[in-house]
Amino acid sequence: MSFFSAFADLVDGLGDVLEPVAGTASTAAAIVLFTAFVRLLVLPLSRAAARGQKARTRLQPQVVALRKKYKKNPERLQKATLELYAAEKVSPFSGILPSLCQLPAFFLMYHLFASAEIGGAPNTLLGHSLFAAPLGDRWKDALADGGMFGAHSQVYLALFAVVVAVAVYNYRRTKRQLAASAALTAGDTEAMPGMGAMNKIAPLMSFMTLFTVGFVPLAAALYVVTSTLWTAVERTVLYREEPAGVAVAA
């Protein structure tokens, strides 16, 4: 049995367990539960990333001082900054580890519901749906079958609404964090070329999830929406004592 066959059996079996509760949406519920399990596995990394970001924010005044001291020597600045992080046992890359570790799970879900066959046999999971929308279809398929407000598209519109709500929440939160971060680095406007443009783009990044949801199979879109909602709640909890800088590092 191939790895993908085993994973397909896992999702199918989990759907069977959830069928008495979720009915015809049991496979979709299994995907949500699988996503939650993945996020629980990654939670220790997310907590470590939060601790690292709080430490980096605490060190920000020292970093600003280094930028002023070595503003004409980028190589020495980079070395001094890394030495500072090493002395304080802070990894500058801890913030990206949770996202990187989730990528295999996302691509696994994508492959599972984008393949007509699994292990040489027909992919029976493609016959499952979330309400009227097949889990293996994309938004373009829903638009072709009923239009923008057809039964299939309504499922996507609901997912889009969740993504927009989370994105607006993240936008407002990121704007507040960037404003606080700017206050911390006042007088250091020339130290980070391009940071002004980054600060304008960062609050809008959450809206990019809409494109992902619109172009991947519905099962993968459901994974993305569940993970995005989890991330918003997780960051609110883990960074509740962090006044600034979180959004840029994340």
Side-chain angles (χ1 to χ4, degrees):
M1 178 181 292
S2 69
F3 175 77
F4 286 111
S5 297
F7 182 63
D9 291 341
L10 173 64
V11 174
D12 197 26
L14 188 55
D16 291 339
V17 172
L18 296 173
E19 187 173 3
V21 177
T24 57
S26 59
T27 302
I31 294 170
V32 173
L33 194 61
F34 169 78
T35 308
F37 177 70
V38 171
R39 294 309 304 261
L40 282 175
L41 290 179
V42 178
L43 184 58
L45 293 177
S46 298
R47 295 181 65 181
R51 290 193 298 269
Q53 180 54 41
K54 291 177 181 180
R56 287 192 293 274
T57 300
R58 174 174 50 82
L59 296 174
Q60 191 66 19
Q62 297 179 57
V63 173
V64 171
L66 289 175
R67 289 173 184 165
K68 292 179 179 179
K69 182 178 181 180
Y70 299 112
K71 63 181 179 179
K72 296 183 179 180
N73 190 342
E75 293 183 0
R76 185 67 184 91
L77 170 61
Q78 182 181 29
K79 181 179 179 181
T81 303
L82 292 177
E83 288 175 350
L84 174 62
Y85 285 155
E88 296 292 335
K89 298 181 179 179
V90 175
S91 171
F93 307 109
S94 61
I96 66 173
L97 289 179
S99 296
L100 290 178
C101 290
Q102 291 175 65
L103 285 177
F106 168 75
F107 285 116
L108 182 61
M109 189 65 66
Y110 178 92
H111 177 81
L112 186 61
F113 284 89
S115 303
E117 294 184 352
I118 296 292
N123 186 0
T124 58
L125 288 174
L126 298 181
H128 295 270
S129 62
L130 175 59
F131 302 114
L135 291 173
D137 280 4
R138 292 168 168 80
W139 189 35
K140 64 180 180 63
D141 300 313
L143 291 175
D145 185 14
M148 178 68 73
F149 300 102
H152 292 193
S153 285
Q154 289 179 17
V155 175
Y156 287 89
L157 294 178
L159 294 181
F160 288 147
V162 173
V163 172
V164 169
V166 173
V168 169
Y169 170 78
N170 287 338
Y171 175 84
R172 294 175 176 174
R173 188 166 179 268
T174 303
K175 292 285 285 186
R176 292 195 300 268
Q177 291 167 338
L178 288 174
S181 181
L184 272 180
T185 57
D188 189 38
T189 55
E190 298 181 359
M192 293 291 289
M195 185 56 68
M198 177 61 71
N199 287 350
K200 293 179 180 179
I201 295 174
L204 302 174
M205 292 302 293
S206 292
F207 291 95
M208 298 299 293
T209 306
L210 289 168
F211 293 95
T212 303
V213 173
F215 286 100
V216 300
L218 178 57
L222 193 58
Y223 178 97
V224 170
V225 172
T226 304
S227 185
T228 299
L229 185 58
W230 181 293
T231 298
V233 175
E234 182 180 80
R235 291 190 181 282
T236 299
V237 174
L238 294 181
Y239 294 93
R240 61 186 179 275
E241 297 176 358
E242 180 60 46
V246 178
V248 175

